[in-house]
Amino acid sequence: MKSYRVHLIRHGVSEGARKGQYIGLTDSPLCEEGKTRLLALKKEAEYPRADACFCSANRRCRESLEILYPEATGTYLRGLEGCSFGEWEGKTADELKGDELYEKWMRGEEGAVPPGGESTLAFMHRVCEVFEKLVDSMMRSRTESVAIVTQGDVIMALCAAYGLPRAGLYEWMCEPGHGYTLQITPSLWMRSMVAEVKETLPRYAQEEEREDSLSAAREVLHLQFPGKEEKGEE
């Protein structure tokens, strides 16, 4: 039976991330270190070919796509940007210390949302709507594989919503330049709207090396966001 593959790849390190800022919708470009790391990853590992390439509508994703798939003509997927942090955009955790709402949000308390920003539920609804339209388009056009360079929280949201095996949001965290391949079988998708997480990206020669990398990334994330293992944003 025909199946379809969606390669979800996280963009490289951005200027905002290097400074420790919250930059969900902020259009922060890649920093030089981010570009260098992506180029090194491309040399030491393999990224899958794709019939079409897309990216979230910001510079860091566009620049990452141009590095990883230089021959591709990428298209922006509007609505697939990261979660909006509202008034907290561009601020660091240190700058927000003492803010009662921020402390509640960090603890994952119900109803705690960045001022003028998005709740986790609203964010997931937005990106899932875009993803489902993309899958429908792939099936109609018989496009077998696409690569999407996007933000880390978008990848986590999509894998948590559709991925098999089932796992919590933060279990799908990945390092910059890394990601997952979702394999979609039409009959299973139409019946249960789920997709098999086929592999982690990029493809290293040694499986153990890749798994160690992902484990290390998850550990770092838990240290950065204590108490938010199952909830929260990028």
Side-chain angles (χ1 to χ4, degrees):
M1 178 178 293
K2 188 180 183 67
S3 62
Y4 301 85
R5 292 197 172 200
V6 179
H7 309 296
L8 299 171
I9 304 168
R10 186 180 176 186
H11 64 76
V13 180
S14 66
E15 287 285 356
R18 186 178 61 83
K19 297 174 183 177
Q21 298 172 330
Y22 288 101
I23 53 166
L25 295 185
T26 303
D27 196 15
S28 178
L30 292 180
C31 63
E32 288 305 313
E33 178 188 2
K35 295 176 183 178
T36 300
R37 286 186 183 181
L38 285 183
L39 288 169
L41 269 176
K42 190 176 178 183
K43 287 182 179 179
E44 68 187 41
E46 178 187 1
Y47 286 90
R49 72 157 201 89
D51 296 324
C53 293
F54 302 91
C55 64
S56 297
N58 55 55
R59 286 179 62 188
R60 57 192 179 277
C61 291
R62 166 67 68 176
E63 290 171 350
S64 298
L65 177 62
E66 290 173 350
I67 291 173
L68 299 178
Y69 292 89
E71 304 303 321
T73 303
T75 301
Y76 280 143
L77 277 180
R78 303 287 177 180
L80 208 65
E81 297 77 39
C83 186
S84 170
F85 294 112
E87 295 177 13
W88 296 346
E89 290 275 341
K91 294 185 178 181
T92 66
D94 285 342
E95 292 174 323
L96 292 168
K97 279 183 179 177
D99 185 312
E100 184 178 355
L101 179 59
Y102 176 71
E103 299 295 337
K104 290 181 178 179
W105 178 76
M106 283 297 294
R107 292 194 296 269
E109 293 188 17
E110 186 175 354
V113 179
E118 286 180 297
S119 67
T120 301
L121 184 62
F123 161 66
M124 291 192 69
H125 177 77
R126 168 168 61 82
V127 299
C128 286
E129 182 178 20
V130 175
F131 184 76
E132 289 173 16
K133 288 180 179 178
L134 174 67
V135 173
D136 180 67
S137 176
M138 289 177 66
M139 292 182 180
R140 289 178 183 275
S141 64
R142 311 290 284 180
T143 303
E144 294 186 9
S145 64
V146 301
I148 304 175
V149 178
T150 185
Q151 290 162 244
D153 55 354
V154 172
I155 294 174
M156 291 190 293
L158 295 178
C159 288
Y162 305 110
L164 292 177
R166 291 299 191 185
L169 193 68
Y170 274 84
E171 293 305 307
W172 296 112
M173 194 274 177
C174 59
E175 292 183 308
H178 291 71
Y180 304 95
T181 293
L182 301 184
Q183 179 167 292
I184 299 167
T185 302
S187 59
L188 188 59
W189 178 260
M190 297 302 292
R191 182 173 68 251
S192 304
M193 204 160 281
V194 294
E196 179 186 0
V197 181
K198 197 68 177 177
E199 63 180 339
T200 52
L201 299 173
R203 299 163 179 157
Y204 287 90
Q206 298 296 327
E207 177 73 17
E208 183 178 348
E209 179 182 354
R210 181 171 68 236
E211 292 306 319
D212 286 347
S213 174
L214 290 172
S215 296
R218 291 191 178 105
E219 182 179 349
V220 169
L221 184 75
H222 292 323
L223 290 174
Q224 290 177 335
F225 294 88
K228 299 196 66 171
E229 288 82 4
E230 296 299 326
K231 295 183 181 181
E233 290 73 32
E234 180 185 31

